[in-house]
Amino acid sequence: MSRIAAFIFRRKGRNGWHWTDIVTWIWLVGGLLIMFGPAVWLVGSSFKSPAALAEFPPTILPYVTQKATVEGYDKPLDLYDATLPDGSKAVLAEVRRIGVISQMVDPEKPGEIIKVNISQRTPVRTMAFATTNYTEPFTQFDFVRYLWNSVFVTVTATLITLVVNSMAAFALSKYEFRGRTFAMLLILATLMVPLSVIMVPLYSIVSALGLFNNLWGVILPTVATPTGVFILRQYMLTIPDELIDAARMDKASEWQIYWRIVLPLTAPALAVLAIFSVVWRWNDFLWPLIVLSRKELYTLQVGLSIYSGELNVQWHFILAMTVVTMIPVVLVFIFLQRFITTGIAGTGLK
Amino acid sequence: MKAETPRPAGSGFGEAIMVPVRLAMGLVDAPLRWVQRRLGIGGMAAFFLLPNMLIFGIFVLLPFFINFAYSMTGGTALFLDDRTFVGTDQYARLFDCSNYIDPNSCTEDTFWTAVGNTAWFVVLQVTLMILFSLITALILNRELMARSFWRAVFFFPVLLSPVVVGLIWKWILQRQGLLNFALYGFGFEPYTWLNDRNWAFAAAVGVSIWAHMGFYTLILLAGLQAIPKDLYEAAEMDGTRPARAFWRITLPLLMPNLLVVIVLVLIRAVQIFDEVYVLTGGGPGTSTLYLTQYIYETGFATQLRNPGLAAAASILMGMVLVVLTLIQLGLGRSSEKKGSRK
Amino acid sequence: MGHIKLTNVIKSFGAIDVLHGINLEINDGEFVVFVGPSGCGKSTLLRTIAGLEKPTGGDLAIDGKVVNDVAAADRGLAMVFQSYALYPHMSVRQNLAFGLENTRMPQAEIAERIAEAARMLEIEPYLDRRPGQLSGGQRQRVAIGRAIVRRPVAFLLDEPLSNLDAELRGSTRAELAALHARLSATMIYVTHDQVEAMTLADRIVVLRAGRIEQIGTPLELYNRPANRFVAGFIGSPHMNFLEGAVEAVHPQKAVATLVGGHRLEFPVAGATIETGSRITLGVRPQHISLGSGENSIPAKIRLVEALGSETVLHADVAGQKILVVAPGQHDLSPGLDISLSLSTAPIHLFNEKGLRL
Ligand SMILES: Nc1ncnc2c1ncn2[C@@H]1O[C@H](COP(=O)(O)OP(=O)(O)OP(=O)(O)O)[C@@H](O)[C@H]1O
Ligand SMILES: [Mg+2]
């Protein structure tokens, strides 16, 4: 153990602990708890039954109270470890509770009621994962629809984003034409017009186009991202112009040059943009909330927020669905984190 | 990023996907060759630019301009044609206060509450965000084991959706939540944090920092790693103490990045909405009602919606954002120049 | 099938005029080399012929047809780029096939042409590699192969050997010459390197600042440069120029006083020379010999470069620099006064404007 610790805490070039080393490790370990803790807690909670969720203090792992069907009683009864008045211990089922007195029966001998003070009994609990939290929203609610809507929006918007932005980036990086600077400035200027500033008129335009309550109304306004054009253009500028001349001499049409020469060579930048686009579109909230008012069109994010805003929140479902909503992004995080972090560090894109 | 690195040979799956794509692209080629003959090579540039420009035009520029028209009209009708022209009435309404120090004396008191809340939020959130992300970046820039792991730790929440972030924390901060559980261990009574005006505000600030800190940490870390190590070695040779090295080397050299990050954080803090909306819904009361939510609710959500008023408010917010963005672009430009001079 | 004619071709990029009225006729099967200092417009001229740049003025005709408005792809030309411009994401085979596929050629014929070109250029072993996995020389062959498979009416080559090391450049040069003989196609070749120009060209076009200075066979340019610029540009080391004034003109020869006062006799060979006019005498370093005697001038040695087979002397003739290449090895050292003999040297005469007399 101490060898491992020595290895982990090894610091280059210096011996002994400086106060900054202590601060560093407190910060890092604290960060680990604060950054991952909530998500882990969410996942843990999502497997708890409604009864376990209502408990305070909560348990770390999901437990349920064991039940037993006892002859003469319709419903299954909760089992308790009870200390009997004579001091002996037994596993009893609770029939009802009156004040501090619990009326219990021995499952083996259902005829006889035993009265136990509630401080003398503790529930018999076993660990159990309430997977119905996950299955029920899909079977009883519209979550399959929401999931499908989210996937559709994310995939379609990402594909269109890639095509439209790479075409624009190609035009802006490999052609000389009048108005090129103007087009660049125009695209740059749109950085200054976030959704929160134009949502009212944008809503009217989308409605006028008949895209209100339509997934395309969610998709189209998002696909021309200035950031996308800029990363792709930056990358395409590194492709030598001679390559394009060579293709022209090879009788390639401009369209062929675009998709057979430039696109394949831009693959790394396209991948970065694709990852970002997936995360952005999957996470979009305000705009879908505005455009989609029919339940069957909700994306996961909208559905979740609407359900969680209801008066009688069914937390066990909400938590499970939150986990489902998190999954794609967590997968991206696990497998493509490196791509993203270098992408951000390199381009400062949001 | 270099263009010349050969890609790994296409996998079977990739090849399979490429077949229909290739077919489609090939089919498009013949008509496009015709277009190219008509337009010439230069004209093809316009063709490639067209889809993007169309989408920008329809969904960004057009709304941007008609926003001004909206802000000059009244009523609840959706389309401009059906709306009545009211001149600057909406702006007058926003600014109609009997006592300019007290938001409650204004006709649109919620607007001013939202402005006040947003201002406080921006001040607190930006300060703390910069502080935390700078400290984290400095720590990640030390000689660490598994640096990329730790970097990933702080980056993780950045990818989560605002709704997920809001729900996670709503769950933690509720009465039977993790926070009360943790405090219970120290003998505190459970408390409904989000029903308390001040704690709800603090939660909004804290949660938004939690969610976005990793992003700025990453940019600052990139800036720190760009500072040549030999500068520190030289300083050490000169007997400079670490604190002094920080103030005299790290901070000045990081300044361009830091400024860009500050403005970025500002721009996003002004627009704060999603995660707080899910977390608190703007409550309790109006204690976490921010500008974007005000615009959203005025424009869409309430029964007595008033798109004109929402547009006027959004234009005021837009002006702040334009100024901030211009500052950011200016900073980006100057730091780029510095970078290229090296 | 490869006759190219340029009439008064002008090219400008915005306000920058790069080509000022180029007139040039290239015959079928000819190997023409464009030389000139960097930035003189060689590449621009080549790219204009290729159709990658549109001329601002003038006409360009291929096989008698004006092709000003014909796209690069439809001119039937092939180009080899300085950077090779191989498609990095395609295998060598795909690189060669790309242009043919674009003409909708049947697969069987494509395969046949690739096989033939690969055999000719000995690149068969690498057909399935990507350009990134090839050496510079191999890439260069692929670039030429890509042009060959197209069976173009003319090949345009922009400094194709400049990225190779000296030895490889030499051998590839010989192969190119053989290739030209074999394909007997028109080739237009741009280079900085005058050895390439001299050895490969049927005719050389010397360009300066967007204008043609002279067109001629390598030996014409060497023996009868039309002006001081061409004289200085062709030949290595470059020609010596001695400034002076004409003192006297006789039927067969004339006498000049060089700057610094030395007198030098030179043959006039039909040129009209006026007494008293300023004149430049051009002498190639190889044609000057060491030794006194008739028609010799004194010089001071500044630097001695012993190359073994020959010795290059940098010397000073009354303030004018002069270069001498003397065969063999000589025991000379800087600071020594020597005498240079020009009695057997062909002397080129240029007037004040630099034109050949
Ligand atoms: N696209 C362009 N826009 C503006 N000026 C250009 C462009 N292309 C070339 N030029 C200019 O035209 C002139 C000739 O360029 P060109 O490339 O033809 O020279 P070159 O003779 O090939 O030189 P080198 O031997 O260095 O390759 C140069 O001054 C160059 O700056
Ligand atoms: Mg050139």
Side-chain angles (χ1 to χ4, degrees):
Chain A
M1 262 322 273
S2 67
R3 277 244 196 100
I4 296 172
F7 179 68
I8 290 176
F9 294 110
R10 181 185 63 175
R11 281 142 310 112
K12 214 173 178 178
R14 251 184 281 134
N15 300 313
W17 282 77
H18 189 249
W19 66 266
T20 50
D21 298 321
I22 297 166
V23 171
T24 296
W25 284 100
I26 290 176
W27 192 270
L28 290 178
V29 173
L32 183 68
L33 290 178
I34 291 174
M35 294 295 155
F36 278 138
V40 172
W41 181 249
L42 170 81
V43 174
S45 301
S46 75
F47 286 105
K48 289 181 180 174
S49 63
L53 285 177
E55 243 169 51
F56 191 86
T59 51
I60 305 256
L61 293 169
Y63 284 104
V64 288
T65 305
Q66 264 192 347
K67 289 176 187 283
T69 335
V70 181
E71 220 176 295
Y73 298 92
D74 299 338
K75 283 188 190 159
L77 301 177
D78 291 348
L79 288 179
Y80 288 86
D81 281 321
T83 317
L84 298 179
D86 60 8
S88 64
K89 295 192 178 218
V91 175
L92 300 179
E94 185 178 74
V95 180
R96 70 178 71 83
R97 198 182 126 188
I98 302 163
V100 293
I101 302 298
S102 168
Q103 299 189 348
M104 311 187 102
V105 292
D106 189 334
E108 307 297 317
K109 293 174 273 176
E112 175 192 350
I113 296 274
I114 307 162
K115 287 184 182 164
V116 181
N117 189 299
I118 56 167
S119 60
Q120 299 296 315
R121 64 170 182 42
T122 49
V124 177
R125 314 219 294 174
T126 50
M127 205 157 80
F129 291 91
T131 47
T132 51
N133 289 353
Y134 284 84
T135 51
E136 275 184 37
F138 282 108
T139 52
Q140 293 177 11
F141 301 91
D142 269 344
F143 267 96
V144 179
R145 263 231 92 82
Y146 302 164
L147 183 63
W148 161 249
N149 290 341
S150 272
V151 169
F152 176 77
V153 167
T154 304
V155 171
T156 318
T158 298
L159 288 179
I160 301 180
T161 299
L162 292 180
V163 172
V164 167
N165 289 350
S166 63
M167 279 170 71
F170 176 50
L172 291 172
S173 60
K174 292 294 165 205
Y175 291 92
E176 299 273 351
F177 56 92
R178 258 186 311 133
R180 188 168 87 160
T181 329
F182 177 73
M184 292 282 295
L185 284 178
L186 203 66
I187 293 175
L188 199 67
T190 58
L191 278 175
M192 280 184 257
V193 195
L195 174 65
S196 47
V197 173
I198 54 166
M199 59 183 156
V200 173
L202 183 57
Y203 174 75
S204 78
I205 285 171
V206 165
S207 301
L209 293 173
L211 296 177
F212 177 65
N213 263 332
N214 185 325
L215 290 179
W216 287 99
V218 176
I219 294 168
L220 287 179
T222 61
V223 292
T225 64
T227 355
V229 175
F230 281 110
I231 341 175
L232 294 179
R233 186 182 107 92
Q234 222 51 38
Y235 198 86
M236 285 180 188
L237 286 175
T238 67
I239 298 176
D241 290 344
E242 280 201 346
L243 222 50
I244 297 193
D245 288 333
R248 288 205 179 115
M249 296 301 289
D250 265 346
K251 285 178 174 284
S253 68
E254 299 304 297
W255 176 254
Q256 270 179 314
I257 293 175
Y258 160 70
W259 86 267
R260 292 210 51 188
I261 310 289
V262 173
L263 270 197
L265 293 176
T266 316
L270 284 172
V272 170
L273 180 60
I275 296 169
F276 272 96
S277 175
V278 164
V279 174
W280 288 333
R281 298 294 84 86
W282 183 262
N283 289 349
D284 267 346
F285 174 57
L286 176 56
W287 184 240
L289 183 68
I290 292 173
V291 175
L292 307 173
S293 74
R294 288 222 318 268
K295 264 194 162 180
E296 66 270 24
L297 291 172
Y298 286 170
T299 58
L300 273 180
Q301 314 287 347
V302 175
L304 257 184
S305 90
I306 300 266
Y307 276 111
S308 71
E310 281 176 351
L311 274 182
N312 196 0
V313 183
Q314 296 185 295
W315 271 111
H316 54 298
F317 293 148
I318 296 290
L319 294 176
M321 287 309 102
T322 307
V323 172
V324 171
T325 309
M326 232 168 62
I327 288 173
V329 174
V330 170
L331 289 180
V332 165
F333 175 75
I334 293 173
F335 294 108
L336 305 171
Q337 188 256 129
R338 217 146 243 274
F339 251 111
I340 299 179
T341 48
T342 51
I344 289 177
T347 59
L349 92 174
K350 37 177 169 175
Chain B
M1 299 215 261
K2 246 181 76 210
E4 291 255 25
T5 39
R7 287 180 315 144
S11 61
F13 177 66
E15 288 298 304
I17 284 189
M18 281 315 284
V19 170
V21 173
R22 228 170 246 160
L23 215 67
M25 293 294 199
L27 281 182
V28 182
D29 188 49
L32 284 181
R33 268 182 195 268
W34 181 81
V35 173
Q36 183 179 333
R37 263 197 298 282
R38 302 301 298 266
L39 295 178
I41 284 178
M44 286 305 282
F47 164 82
F48 283 113
L49 206 51
L50 188 68
N52 208 294
M53 284 292 150
L54 261 178
I55 293 173
F56 269 138
I58 295 174
F59 296 111
V60 180
L61 292 182
L62 190 58
F64 176 75
F65 287 113
I66 65 174
N67 207 13
F68 290 97
Y70 264 92
S71 72
M72 305 252 184
T73 57
T76 55
L78 173 60
F79 294 112
L80 257 187
D81 292 352
D82 313 330
R83 299 175 58 81
T84 45
F85 182 77
V86 296
T88 55
D89 281 8
Q90 304 284 18
Y91 294 96
R93 180 166 174 192
L94 286 178
F95 285 103
D96 178 32
C97 300
S98 53
N99 175 358
Y100 280 93
I101 304 171
D102 179 14
N104 292 326
S105 72
C106 301
T107 315
E108 268 307 309
D109 54 343
T110 38
F111 173 70
W112 289 104
T113 309
V115 169
N117 285 345
T118 309
W120 267 116
F121 179 87
V122 167
V123 170
L124 283 175
Q125 199 243 26
V126 173
T127 315
L128 293 176
M129 179 85 91
I130 298 296
L131 189 68
F132 286 151
S133 46
L134 183 58
I135 293 176
T136 312
L138 285 170
I139 283 179
L140 291 179
N141 195 38
R142 308 189 70 194
E143 297 288 345
L144 277 186
M145 273 303 294
R147 172 154 56 205
S148 49
F149 166 77
W150 292 111
R151 195 179 56 186
V153 164
F154 287 92
F155 184 73
F156 169 69
V158 173
L159 294 178
L160 297 180
S161 86
V163 174
V164 168
V165 168
L167 288 176
I168 287 181
W169 284 97
K170 195 174 179 179
W171 176 243
I172 286 174
L173 295 173
Q174 57 130 4
R175 198 177 176 82
Q176 293 98 334
L178 183 62
L179 180 64
N180 279 330
F181 177 36
L183 292 175
Y184 182 75
F186 297 103
F188 289 91
E189 280 302 302
Y191 189 65
T192 41
W193 303 96
L194 294 176
N195 284 354
D196 180 307
R197 299 181 69 89
N198 293 326
W199 282 116
F201 198 96
V205 172
V207 167
S208 67
I209 292 175
W210 179 81
H212 301 296
M213 191 182 104
F215 177 74
Y216 303 108
T217 301
L218 219 58
I219 301 183
L220 290 178
L221 182 61
L224 285 174
Q225 289 180 337
I227 300 176
K229 291 275 168 291
D230 48 5
L231 285 184
Y232 293 104
E233 282 159 14
E236 211 171 325
M237 295 302 288
D238 291 345
T240 317
R241 281 182 304 116
R244 193 175 152 78
F246 172 76
W247 290 108
R248 300 303 297 273
I249 299 174
T250 312
L251 213 51
L253 289 176
L254 190 64
M255 222 10 126
N257 286 53
L258 197 58
L259 287 176
V260 169
V261 166
I262 290 175
V263 181
L264 260 179
V265 179
L266 267 172
I267 289 174
R268 285 166 126 214
V270 172
Q271 303 176 60
I272 182 73
F273 172 73
D274 306 8
E275 56 262 32
V276 177
Y277 181 73
V278 175
L279 184 70
T280 66
T286 53
S287 54
T288 55
L289 175 77
Y290 301 117
L291 260 178
T292 302
Q293 188 180 344
Y294 170 81
I295 297 170
Y296 166 65
E297 289 184 341
T298 311
F300 304 98
T302 51
Q303 290 299 313
L304 289 170
R305 65 188 172 132
N306 185 344
L309 194 63
S314 71
I315 286 175
L316 294 181
M317 181 165 122
M319 292 200 293
V320 175
L321 292 176
V322 165
V323 172
L324 291 176
T325 312
L326 286 179
I327 294 176
Q328 186 213 349
L329 291 177
L331 290 175
R333 185 72 46 88
S334 63
S335 69
E336 219 165 75
K337 263 188 215 135
K338 267 188 205 133
S340 62
R341 221 182 290 142
K342 271 191 288 192
Chain C
M1 278 312 291
H3 176 268
I4 296 168
K5 187 171 181 195
L6 289 86
T7 324
N8 216 7
V9 167
I10 296 169
K11 173 71 196 172
S12 25
F13 294 104
I16 313 162
D17 295 330
V18 178
L19 300 177
H20 313 261
I22 301 287
N23 288 294
L24 176 64
E25 192 166 350
I26 297 167
N27 296 316
D28 187 21
E30 206 173 8
F31 199 123
V32 172
V33 174
F34 295 169
V35 292
S38 189
C40 69
K42 306 180 293 289
S43 297
T44 307
L45 180 56
L46 196 71
R47 291 166 55 83
T48 307
I49 295 173
L52 295 170
E53 306 284 357
K54 208 171 155 59
T56 318
D59 278 334
L60 174 70
I62 298 177
D63 293 330
K65 272 201 301 283
V66 175
V67 292
N68 287 12
D69 294 319
V70 177
D74 303 325
R75 293 190 183 183
L77 308 173
M79 187 150 168
V80 177
F81 293 85
Q82 180 172 3
S83 68
Y84 312 143
L86 299 176
Y87 312 121
H89 57 302
M90 297 184 191
S91 68
V92 168
R93 190 189 302 280
Q94 287 165 328
N95 262 284
L96 298 185
F98 184 70
L100 301 178
E101 283 166 0
N102 290 337
T103 63
R104 320 226 148 180
M105 184 181 283
Q107 284 299 328
E109 192 178 348
I110 293 178
E112 194 179 307
R113 285 205 190 180
I114 291 177
E116 183 193 331
R119 206 175 326 113
M120 200 187 298
L121 295 167
E122 295 165 13
I123 52 174
E124 285 149 317
Y126 331 118
L127 276 179
D128 291 313
R129 287 202 210 160
R130 292 251 170 91
Q133 301 159 322
L134 299 179
S135 73
Q138 291 163 345
R139 277 182 227 181
Q140 209 277 333
R141 285 157 182 278
V142 176
I144 291 176
R146 188 169 63 177
I148 288 178
V149 291
R150 296 269 314 280
R151 308 236 169 108
V153 297
F155 288 85
L156 311 177
L157 304 99
D158 193 353
E159 309 199 27
L161 306 186
S162 64
N163 284 337
L164 302 181
D165 63 52
E167 195 177 332
L168 201 53
R169 202 182 304 173
S171 59
T172 315
R173 196 172 66 213
E175 285 172 36
L176 260 178
L179 198 69
H180 176 241
R182 179 164 166 187
L183 297 171
S184 63
T186 308
M187 288 193 176
I188 307 177
Y189 186 105
V190 168
T191 182
H192 267 115
D193 183 323
Q194 42 169 305
V195 181
E196 277 171 34
M198 298 297 280
T199 52
L200 287 172
D202 294 326
R203 279 195 302 159
I204 295 177
V205 177
V206 184
L207 286 161
R208 177 166 66 148
R211 290 194 171 79
I212 293 182
E213 294 283 319
Q214 190 175 3
I215 307 176
T217 64
L219 291 183
E220 268 169 21
L221 296 191
Y222 188 85
N223 296 331
R224 293 186 58 80
N227 54 41
R228 249 190 89 158
F229 175 76
V230 177
F233 197 79
I234 303 286
S236 169
H238 64 77
M239 187 183 278
N240 295 301
F241 295 111
L242 297 168
E243 310 283 343
V246 181
E247 191 185 283
V249 184
H250 307 292
Q252 283 304 312
K253 58 187 180 181
V255 181
T257 319
L258 301 182
V259 175
H262 302 294
R263 295 173 77 249
L264 201 61
E265 252 180 30
F266 55 89
V268 278
T272 46
I273 297 171
E274 283 172 36
T275 317
S277 63
R278 300 194 57 79
I279 197 167
T280 304
L281 307 177
V283 190
R284 296 206 181 272
Q286 292 84 350
H287 297 153
I288 303 175
S289 48
L290 298 175
S292 52
E294 206 188 332
N295 219 10
S296 66
I297 46 177
K300 196 181 206 63
I301 298 180
R302 292 270 166 244
L303 179 70
V304 179
E305 294 174 327
L307 301 179
S309 65
E310 58 190 27
T311 306
V312 181
L313 301 177
H314 297 246
D316 212 281
V317 179
Q320 303 196 63
K321 289 209 176 88
I322 195 163
L323 217 62
V324 177
V325 176
Q329 303 178 356
H330 300 266
D331 185 20
L332 295 168
S333 56
L336 217 62
D337 286 311
I338 50 167
S339 181
L340 301 175
S341 165
L342 282 75
S343 55
T344 57
I347 293 181
H348 306 265
L349 307 176
F350 304 99
N351 67 13
E352 255 173 289
K353 290 184 188 132
L355 295 179
R356 183 181 191 87
L357 286 170

